[in-house]
Each structure stands twice: as structure tokens, then as C-alpha cells.
């Protein structure tokens, strides 16, 4: 398993979606932009908020990811002539021609964004991003921003749950590229799952672009491509400490006989092709030997591995271990580990006791939790499909809602109270208690003074029919930062590594009852008294 | 709802993944390529097959999509210097330097591909793609090809099921961009769902790139951005037949009073901001007026719509209809339709009886099936999340397996018989009965003669413990075509429209019992007697 902690510089090429064209949006954004333009309202100052209504996976928290992509999309936001000519063919024929000239001149120079830092723990209903600027422009940004935040945050949160399920020590490897929704689905998954707490990815491009440690060994096709020891070439290896090259085929055959005797196995149950494949692999990578041992069956693959590993050890090389890709991973890992100990003892090769065992077989959050509770010797778990497709909830459902226009608060009043929005431009505070644990996210109007440390504040928890509540914070942090203004990104883009460190710290700061995977205690999100009154006023039709 | 049947030319820019870099793959492909190269086997001629093991969604069929992306990826397959330098840092340090020179020189000029046409109905276990060429090169292609086929085929199949659930007449619109796995997840979804049978997309870029008809109206944010009739600007509209501009605010207020009287509604229940929003939209697009009418509640939105539509009709314009985005769509559509009929009768405006009703509210395959069975007046259904995320099964699970190397058939023997592969290079035939319905897909070795019309052939159905079976086809078609060779794409890329026509024909040709959504009858996939014997020989260790 080749791994490397790569360059974590985010400036190399941090975007998974280089050149997300602004035409990648829903047509109705243009219908609306035109209607605003026609009414002369396109330059009215508007404020939109991006948030989700429920934490995914019935969980108690989420992680925010995707900010870098949003910022680069904003910076490069500009329609090409071809885009505008296309729009001319699909918008109604009576659209005023000056509107197309207007579109050609648009950019993000009048747009401002404040956002939570990537990797921060976030909760339902809390606005993660605030986007403000000319009404028509910020309306046009909606779909692209949602597309860039939704999946990144979902899969990052999913990864954090896998991390919690696995416990802190076991290493986790993401290997979902082939099951993701195409190339940048796969790249987004690799980056966001690393932030969420995975250690490694199989995705070589993600390694290059984001500095994520990459890993990988061999597939079944490599093993089945060999049929005889005659295919092994070259057939010799130099002992590490020097001396003449050693013929490996007879050496391995000799070790295989001894292993079979030790294990009470019949040499006929060992596939010659598999032995040839392992030997060729070992000759190519004598320091990195970690084959998959169940292409035919473990009863063939395990003796093959031991024979080749013993030959390598005899020549002073250090094999790495094995991968299991089918069946009951826990049970098989114990069997394998037991055989390693027998070999170590019988042949006096203590290296066998430190071999790693990698498990990869349709692992889900649930099976990982179970694996964590059962006896096993699995050191690294590889996860693909269930991680990147987020099987149990494949979409996050972020929304992008208008909260202020022309200086006046706006609110969507819905018959479904869950679908109503919170009006007005806001500041978001995370209140910590004396132990440093987050105890509440408080949503205030931006013109309100910030909550003060050790002063009680009255607030209204959301989603509960609770009355006013009083809270006295020990620490107060402002949750969002200004990240974009005048067409420019205001902060250095954070690398995947930096976001990962931040995410893990952010999760660790939570009370365990908020981060537990099943039936977590709800974290409190509250609004200030001012917002509460504003909502009441608007509901009564007074605003 | 602005729609247009765009240019369906596939040469405009048919790729959703322009420049999928070959480094977008799993690291282990390079480990294997190196091991082959080190053993001098990298140029051995190898054959891989791409297939899936089960039809998704417990269905009886699948549709193949994603071929264009595969072909363009293959044509452009070449590592950059930066790619190779990166690989030098992550492969083990004892990797021979000549291997990196070898990687720099690689391209697809020695690769050949045969494939099923895009949009063809395909079944589990039938190899959709055959990729042959130098062992190391065709191994390196694995992950990227799987990534490009898996999601496209899955979401295309999902769309076909939504199409079947909806019945043939109702129009279906894809609007999932914001819920897809990033930009090209969204683009792939728009293209593949159109092929699967959707009529429209909200995705403007998909419209431009693939010639898919686009549609879209307005969002709730547009409606809630207005608060008073003073914001309406301009306030006049020219009657279509000529004459002086007409002041619309008094005209609409007048109509609103008459509508409220007709419906027994109180004018106070109508939101002035909503009326202003509708009126502004109508002035901007008097031929394309189709607002969403439940931003506050239908009891406000519907009278507003009727008033504005009546004013437009009075000036000889033709409104289009309404969109419903919450609640019980069937029940609400009946209510709306009933109001339209009342208006038509009361005010003698027959146009009201031809307004369309668009429904969009978390529609799933199940809810669409139910909607199709219940009374309703919904003409167009918009689907997002459940369509593009394929909620009920978010991955297809295509695999890419070695079947021949150096002229010798290879097979993965697994303890799980479902995971075993079929050895050898193959030709695939679809056998039709006298009614023109597909009755069986027959997998033969490529050197076998093709089945002949009206001659019985013996074969072995897969997945059943059935004995040999005899079949006499009325027609025989070869399922795969040669699509790539010597670094070049051999056929014109098919446009989304062409693939859509082919897909719909392909589904219609199936017996209804194979295409039904629940508990379909399994379609028979069989192997020739030659393949059957070859498998038995290999299992006995004779090959």
C-alpha cells in the first residue's frame, strides 16, 4: 500500500470544478432576472441565505464543505458570448434585446459573501452562506452555489459519521471514484471525505490536486491475469543486504511446501497463477507487497501470500500485509492474523506479527459500527459505494432564500411552518459554555449588538414550541467570516488538510450526546428576540 | 414555461467531462501497470469486459448511457508531464525510472472497443463494453470508464422508470441540478434522463450543450421579493391588436374583485406582493405567463393568477398556466382546474380551459405511479432529487473484468458464484421472436458462428440451475458495434435526441412483462454451449 502525505498547498489547483460555467443553472433564474430587469429592480440590493432544514442521516450535526469551489465560481462568474446567444434562442422572443447586453456585462464585482469556514460543524436552519448584491445577479447564482455546497457538505458529513463509527485508531480509505456521479462527483467525494476524517484516497488525481495521501495495491484482475509460474519475470531478486541475485521460484516453492505443512493445507488447493501473480508483484515492489488474497479463495491466497512474504523476509525485505475483499471481514481477519502468528513462531519471522490487514467489501456506516464492536484485526478499512453515494440519504437539500431586498426584510410564509424562512440580514453567533463546548447557535439581526460573555440573553429556540429562554455564554464566536467582496476572494483558500484539521477539532468540541450517531440530542439553534418579533410582525402582515 | 427544441447536433460539445484526465483513476491501476511492465507483460494483448450484475431498482431492464464520454476520454487518453511527476512521488521509490518514460509515451492508439449503442436496453451479466489492447493500458482505463458508465446508465434507467410510471402523455421535466453530485453529475443527469424519456430540463447548460429542450418559470423568491403594487414597473402593456398602452394595476384590481366574488374569496386573503410579482412577470413575459402559485398559499396565489391572466386575455395575450409546488398535487390540480373552468364560463374566456398545470414537489417513482392512477389535471411533472440521486439505489455497480490475456481465456473464480466471470472474448446476440420482441440475449465466443434465423440453438441460461435449453430465433441482431480503434472514434457520436429515440424504441420492443416496474419477469441471458464447456474446464483447473 503506497501512501504519501502529499503537498497540502491549496493553490496548486484546488478546484474540482475548474470553470463551472454560470450557464450551469436553472433556466428560471434567467426568467426571473429578466423580470427584475424589466421592472428596473435588477440593481436593488438583495440578500440571500443558504441553509438546510434537517441534519442528514438523522444525525445531530453536519459539516460544511465546498466553499473553495463556490468562491472560484463567484470570482470567474461571467457569461460568454456563446452563452448569451444561446439564451437568446430559449428565452421568449419578445425579451428586450438590451437584456442580453446586460447579461454580457455581468460579473460578481458587486457581490459580497460571508460564510462559515470549511470544515465547521453546522446545524439545520443556520445560514451557512450569506450572499448579497444586485438582486438579479445574486438570483442567478442560486443553482450553481447549491450544486457546489449540497453534495460536498453531505458526503463530508457522511465521512465524519464513518470516522466516528470506526473509532479513532483504525485508518479509513476512500475508494468510491467508480461509483460517484462522474468525474467531479468523484473528486468532490475524495476531498470532502478527507475533510470529514478519512485518511487516504484511492483517487490519484485527488492526491495530486489536493495533497491527499493516496493508497492502493492490486485488483483481482491482476491476480487472474497470471496462470503459471513461467510468467514470472524477472525471476530473481537481489538480497537487500547484498550478494548474488536469488532465484525466487524455487525459494517460494520451498516456502509454500513448509507453509502448507504448517497449516495442514494441501498444495493442490493453491492456484499456481495466484502464486505467480504474488511473486511478480513482490519482485516489482519488494518493499510494498500487499496483495488481495481472495481472488479465488483465502485458502489459496493466504498460503501464497505467506510463501512469498517468507521469501521476501529471507532476503531482508519487509512485506506490508494483505487485503480481504469478500466474506465476513472480521472472521477472516482473525483467521489471517492467527496464521501470521503461527508463521512468525514457526519460522522465527516476527515481521509477520506487524503485517497490516486491509478490509474492503461493501462497508457501510452500520457494518463499520458493527466491525468496531466485534473482535477483528483489520487495520485499514476501504469504503466506496456507501460513502460516496450516501446511500441512506443521497441529498442534503440546501436551499437559498431571499431574506432582504431594498433594505426591507423578506420572508417566505408557508402553510408548512418548516418551509418558512427567517427574515432580515443576520449575524450568527456560536455560544460556548464554561467547558468550551458549543451550547447554542444564536441567530441575530446584523444590526443587533453581539451577545456578551457572562451576560444573560433572551432568545427563542427554533423548532420547539418553547417559550423564551435565557442563556449566559462563557465564550462567543462569530460563526461567519467575510470571504468575498468586489469580485475578489478575501482569504487564502483553505487546503484540504487545513479543513480536515478544523473539522476534526470542530467535531471533538461537541458534547458527545450531540455527535452520537443514533438518537443524538438536538443542538439548540435559537433566534434573538428582535427576529422573533419581526417574524410575528410579518405574519400579521405588518411588514 | 419557455421551451425550445434545441439543436440536437452532438458535435457542438457533447462531453460533460471535457478533458477527463487519465490520472482520475485509482492508484492501484498504476501499481498493477508497473508490475506488468516490470514483468515484461505490459504489451500482452488483453481483453476486459464492462457489465453489471443486477438490474437496478429491482427492475427487469436497464438502459446504457455514457458512451460518448467514454469515447472522448479514450481518444484524449494521455498523461501530462505533471501527472507523471506526481506519480513519481507516490509510487514506491524503487520504481524503475524507465516506467515513467513509458507512461509519458502512452496513448490509446492500440486500444479497441466494441460497445452497445447508447440508449439500448441492456440486461445484467451482458458485457456492454469490450475493451482490448495492451494489458497495462487497458488496465489503466478501468476506473475512469466505470465512473463514466455507472452513473449515466443508472440515472438513464431511473428516468425510463419514471417515464413508464407517468404514462406516455404527461410531460416530464428534469430539475435536479442542485441535488446532483456537482457540475458534471448534474449535466450527466440532464442528458441521461432526457435519453431515458424525460421531455425537458431546467439545466440551461445542458440545453446548450446537448440540444435538450429547456424550461423554467419563476421561484418563490421572485414572488416574495415584491411587497406592493407600487413596485410594478412598467405599469402598462400594449394590447396585442394595437391601440394605446393600458394601465394594468387598475385593470388587474378590477379583475381581482370579480374573481374574488366568483370564488367567494375575501380580497384580504390575497397578498398584494404576490399580485405585484405576478403582474410584473406578466408584463415582462405576456406570452409566457406561468407563475408558481403557492409561495404563500393557493388561496392567495390562485385568485392573483386568475386576475392577471384575465387582464392578459383582455389584451389578447395567451397566458400559459400555473405551477404547484407543495401539498397534495392531485387534489390541488383539480381545485385549480375547476376554478379555471368557472372563470372560463363566467367571463367567457375559453383560453382558461387550456392552461397547463405543472406539479413539482418531491416527486418519486412511487408518487408518480400513484399520481398516474388518481384523478388529476397535472400536465407537466418536474422531478429533481429522487430522479438524479436515484434514491432507491444510488449506484449501479458496473464492473470491469479481465476475460482474456495473451490469447488465453481468463476467469475470476469466486466462492460466490455471482462474482465469477465468464471467460474468453465474446460476441453478443439479441434473439427476437416472430413478433419482433427480444426473447433472449445469447453470449457466444467471438470465434463461434452467429446464431442463424429459424435454426434451433442450444444454450445455457444464466442465473438459473436450468439445464440446456433450445431456442429458435426469428431474427438475430449483433448487440455490440466496433466504436473505437487506432486511437479514433469509429462512428459519429450520437446526439442526446438520437439516443433518446433509440431508447424509447428499445423499451417499447420489450414484452410488457419484462418492462413492468414491479416484479418483472426475468429476461433470459444465456451462454453458448462452448462458453459453458469452457467454464467447466476452467473450474476443473483444465484451462
Amino acid at each position: 500500500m503506497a501512501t504519501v502525505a502529499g503537498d497540502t498547498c491549496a493553490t496548486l489547483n484546488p478546484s474540482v470544478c475548474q470553470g463551472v460555467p454560470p450557464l450551469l443553472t436553472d433556466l428560471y433564474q434567467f426568467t426571473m432576472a429578466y423580470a427584475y430587469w424589466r421592472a428596473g429592480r435588477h440593481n436593488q440590493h438583495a440578500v440571500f441565505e443558504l441553509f438546510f432544514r434537517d441534519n442528514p442521516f438523522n444525525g445531530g450535526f453536519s459539516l460544511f464543505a465546498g466553499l473553495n469551489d463556490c468562491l472560484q465560481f463567484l470570482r470567474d462568474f461571467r457569461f460568454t458570448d456563446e452563452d448569451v446567444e444561446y439564451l437568446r434562442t430559449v428565452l421568449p422572443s419578445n425579451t428586450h434585446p438590451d437584456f442580453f447586453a446586460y447579461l454580457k456585462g455581468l460579473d460578481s464585482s458587486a457581490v459580497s459573501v460571508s460564510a462559515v469556514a470549511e470544515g465547521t460543524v453546522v446545524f439545520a436552519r443556520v445560514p451557512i452562506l450569506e450572499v448579497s448584491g444586485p438582486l438579479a445577479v445574486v438570483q442567478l447564482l442560486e443553482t450553481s452555489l447549491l450544486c457546489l455546497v449540497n453534495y460536498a457538505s453531505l458526503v463530508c458529513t457522511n465521512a465524519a459519521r464513518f470516522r466516528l463509527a470506526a473509532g479513532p485508531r483504525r485508518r479509513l480509505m476512500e475508494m468510491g471514484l467508480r461509483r460517484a456521479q462522474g468525474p467531479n462527483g468523484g473528486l468532490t467525494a475524495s476531498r470532502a471525505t478527507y475533510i470529514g476524517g478519512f485518511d487516504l484516497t484511492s483517487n490519484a488525481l485527488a492526491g495530486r490536486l489536493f495533497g491527499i495521501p493516496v493508497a492502493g495495491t492490486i485488483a483481482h484482475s491482476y491476480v487472474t491475469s497470471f496462470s503459471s509460474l513461467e510468467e514470472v519475470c524477472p525471476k530473481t531478486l537481489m538480497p537487500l543486504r547484498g550478494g548474488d541475485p536469488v532465484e525466487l521460484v524455487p525459494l517460494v516453492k520451498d516456502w509454500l511446501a513448509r507453509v502448507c505443512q504448517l497449516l495442514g493445507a494441501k498444495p493442490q488447493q493453491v492456484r499456481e497463477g495466484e502464486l505467480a501473480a504474488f511473486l511478480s508483484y513482490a519482485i516489482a515492489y519488494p518493499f510494498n507487497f500487499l496483495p488481495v488474497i481472495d481472488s479465488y479463495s483465502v485458502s489459496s491466497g493466504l498460503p501464497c501470500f505467506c510463501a512469498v512474504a517468507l521469501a521476501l523476509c529471507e532476503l531482508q525485505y519487509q512485506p506490508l500485509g494483505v487485503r480481504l475483499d469478500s466474506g465476513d471481514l472480521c472472521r477472516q481477519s482473525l483467521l489471517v492474523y492467527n496464521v501470521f502468528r503461527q508463521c512468525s513462531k514457526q519460522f522465527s519471522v516476527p515481521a509477520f506479527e506487524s503485517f497490516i490487514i486491509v478490509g474492503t467489501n461493501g462497508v457501510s456506516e452500520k457494518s463499520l459500527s458493527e466491525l468496531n464492536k466485534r473482535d477483528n484485526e483489520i487495520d485499514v478499512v476501504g469504503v466506496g459505494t456507501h460513502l460516496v453515494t450516501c446511500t441512506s440519504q443521497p441529498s442534503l437539500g440546501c436551499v437559498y432564500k431571499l431574506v432582504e431586498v431594498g433594505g426591507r426584510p423578506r420572508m417566505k410564509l408557508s402553510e408548512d411552518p418548516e418551509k418558512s424562512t427567517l427574515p432580515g440580514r443576520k449575524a450568527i453567533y456560536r455560544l460556548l459554555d464554561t467547558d468550551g463546548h458549543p451550547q447554542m447557535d444564536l441567530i441575530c439581526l446584523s444590526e443587533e449588538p453581539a451577545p456578551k460573555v457572562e451576560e444573560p440573553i433572551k432568545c427563542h429556540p427554533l423548532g420547539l414550541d418553547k417559550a423564551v429562554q435565557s442563556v449566559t455564554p462563557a465564550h462567543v464566536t462569530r460563526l461567519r467570516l467575510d470571504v468575498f467582496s468586489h469580485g475578489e476572494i478575501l482569504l487564502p483558500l483553505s487546503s484540504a488538510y487545513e479543513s480536515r484539521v478544523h473539522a476534526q477539532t470542530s467535531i471533538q468540541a461537541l458534547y458527545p450526546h450531540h455527535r452520537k450517531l443514533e438518537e443524538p440530542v438536538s443542538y439548540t439553534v435559537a433566534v434573538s428576540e428582535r427576529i422573533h418579533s419581526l417574524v410575528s410582525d410579518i405574519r400579521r402582515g405588518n411588514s
Side-chain angles (χ1 to χ4, degrees), chain A:
Chain A
M1 177 163 283
T3 77
V4 69
D7 181 356
T8 55
C9 170
T11 56
L12 175 64
N13 187 344
S15 175
V16 295
C17 49
Q18 278 174 288
V20 170
L23 197 62
L24 187 73
T25 189
D26 293 312
L27 186 71
Y28 78 173
Q29 310 293 0
F30 296 99
T31 313
M32 288 188 274
Y34 178 68
Y36 288 136
W37 181 88
R38 190 76 180 83
R41 298 185 63 204
H42 52 293
N43 282 329
Q44 268 195 327
H45 189 263
V47 183
F48 281 80
E49 287 176 348
L50 189 151
F51 61 95
F52 53 89
R53 295 197 181 99
D54 296 294
N55 290 306
F57 316 118
N58 294 316
F61 71 96
S62 305
L63 286 174
F64 170 54
L67 181 59
N68 286 4
D69 291 334
C70 291
L71 293 174
Q72 288 173 94
F73 162 72
L74 285 167
R75 188 190 55 200
D76 302 337
F77 181 84
R78 211 163 282 113
F79 293 102
T80 65
D81 290 352
E82 292 73 29
D83 290 341
V84 175
E85 287 317 302
Y86 171 71
L87 289 170
R88 210 188 283 277
T89 67
V90 292
L91 288 175
S93 56
N94 65 324
T95 306
H96 197 290
D98 288 356
F99 176 65
F100 298 105
Y102 164 75
L103 287 180
K104 279 191 195 182
L106 279 189
D107 61 26
S108 60
S109 56
V111 175
S112 297
V113 179
S114 76
V116 168
E118 191 172 63
T120 303
V121 163
V122 288
F123 301 96
R125 302 294 301 270
V126 175
I128 306 167
L129 236 68
E130 182 204 80
V131 184
S132 61
L135 177 57
V137 180
V138 289
Q139 179 68 65
L140 284 170
L141 302 173
E142 174 178 19
T143 310
S144 317
L145 292 177
L146 287 172
C147 179
L148 294 173
V149 171
N150 256 327
Y151 177 63
S153 298
L154 178 74
V155 75
C156 187
T157 307
N158 201 28
R161 294 176 60 90
F162 275 78
R163 174 79 276 165
L164 290 168
R169 278 177 308 280
R170 215 180 304 272
R171 284 201 296 164
L172 293 177
M173 170 166 164
E174 177 271 320
M175 39 180 248
L177 176 57
R178 63 187 66 187
R179 303 282 179 253
Q181 289 181 10
N184 57 25
L187 276 173
T188 303
S190 299
R191 186 175 188 278
T193 56
Y194 179 64
I195 295 171
F198 272 57
D199 305 283
L200 301 159
T201 180
S202 70
N203 182 338
L205 188 61
R208 177 159 102 72
L209 296 181
F210 312 125
I212 305 172
V214 289
T217 58
I218 57 167
H220 299 293
S221 63
Y222 177 83
V223 178
T224 58
S225 81
F226 286 80
S227 50
S228 121
L229 284 166
E230 285 166 29
E231 291 164 306
V232 176
C233 166
K235 292 190 187 317
T236 62
L237 193 62
M238 302 280 284
L240 191 57
R241 293 202 203 115
D244 291 333
V246 174
E247 284 287 340
L248 277 180
V249 172
L251 182 64
V252 161
K253 279 185 168 173
D254 181 49
W255 275 117
L256 183 66
R258 295 166 72 181
V259 168
C260 285
Q261 196 177 17
L262 171 69
L263 304 180
K266 292 181 196 133
Q268 309 90 283
Q269 80 194 34
V270 170
R271 295 231 154 217
E272 185 178 332
E274 191 167 31
L275 189 64
F278 288 9
L279 191 50
S280 288
Y281 177 24
I283 291 168
Y285 281 138
F287 297 100
N288 301 82
F289 181 55
L290 194 161
V292 59
I293 60 169
D294 51 5
S295 295
Y296 300 104
S297 92
V298 173
S299 60
S300 167
L302 185 54
C304 282
F305 170 80
C306 293
V308 175
L310 285 160
L312 284 177
C313 290
E314 186 176 326
L315 305 183
Q316 301 96 41
Y317 292 96
Q318 171 70 53
L320 290 184
V322 297
R323 176 160 77 100
L324 292 166
D325 187 39
S326 58
D328 179 336
L329 296 178
C330 290
R331 195 180 55 71
Q332 295 214 74
S333 73
L334 293 172
L335 164 80
V336 168
Y337 184 69
N338 196 36
V339 167
F340 288 170
R341 279 202 299 194
Q342 283 180 266
C343 287
S344 166
K345 209 167 150 191
Q346 177 76 16
F347 306 120
S348 304
V349 276
F352 264 67
E353 303 210 17
S354 58
F355 288 167
I356 64 169
I357 301 177
V358 181
T360 57
N361 181 25
V363 174
S364 64
E365 180 189 310
K366 188 154 167 271
S367 67
L368 197 55
S369 286
E370 280 164 14
L371 185 145
N372 202 33
K373 285 174 201 146
R374 284 176 57 194
D375 270 358
N376 70 78
E377 291 292 339
I378 298 168
D379 303 283
V380 180
V381 180
V383 194
T385 308
H386 293 295
L387 179 65
V388 303
T389 65
C390 302
T391 327
S392 63
Q393 185 185 323
S395 69
L396 178 55
C398 281
V399 293
Y400 182 84
K401 295 292 175 189
L402 180 70
V403 295
E404 185 186 285
V405 66
R408 298 184 60 183
R410 305 309 306 154
M411 177 176 178
K412 179 180 183 292
L413 286 166
S414 172
E415 284 166 31
D416 177 358
E418 279 295 295
K419 284 200 165 184
S420 294
T421 57
L422 294 171
R425 190 158 200 175
K426 308 180 186 78
I428 319 291
Y429 302 96
R430 181 155 292 173
L431 313 185
L432 310 185
D433 64 15
T434 47
D435 296 328
H437 293 299
Q439 57 179 158
M440 175 188 285
D441 282 6
L442 181 65
I443 306 176
C444 301
L445 289 176
S446 56
E447 68 258 31
E448 290 186 70
K452 291 200 182 63
V453 165
E454 285 166 21
E455 281 188 19
I457 324 149
K458 286 188 181 164
C459 59
H460 296 259
L462 289 175
L464 301 165
D465 285 329
K466 273 192 197 160
V468 62
Q469 188 176 313
S470 178
V471 61
T472 307
H475 305 273
V476 175
T477 58
R478 210 181 166 99
L479 207 58
R480 289 193 312 228
L481 299 168
D482 293 331
V483 293
F484 190 86
S485 160
H486 296 96
E488 290 187 10
I489 301 170
L490 301 177
L491 302 171
L493 295 179
S494 74
S495 70
Y497 179 77
E498 288 160 349
S499 294
R500 183 178 194 270
V501 170
H502 179 57
Q504 302 312 308
T505 312
S506 194
I507 293 170
Q508 283 309 312
L510 289 181
Y511 274 108
H513 58 248
H514 292 316
R515 65 170 183 253
K516 71 191 185 116
L517 299 180
E518 294 190 24
E519 298 179 12
V521 174
S522 284
Y523 181 85
T524 304
V525 174
V527 296
S528 67
E529 293 207 279
R530 289 269 308 271
I531 291 191
H532 189 75
S533 324
L534 181 60
V535 169
S536 308
D537 285 353
I538 294 179
R539 284 199 185 280
R540 283 195 301 268
N542 298 344
S543 190

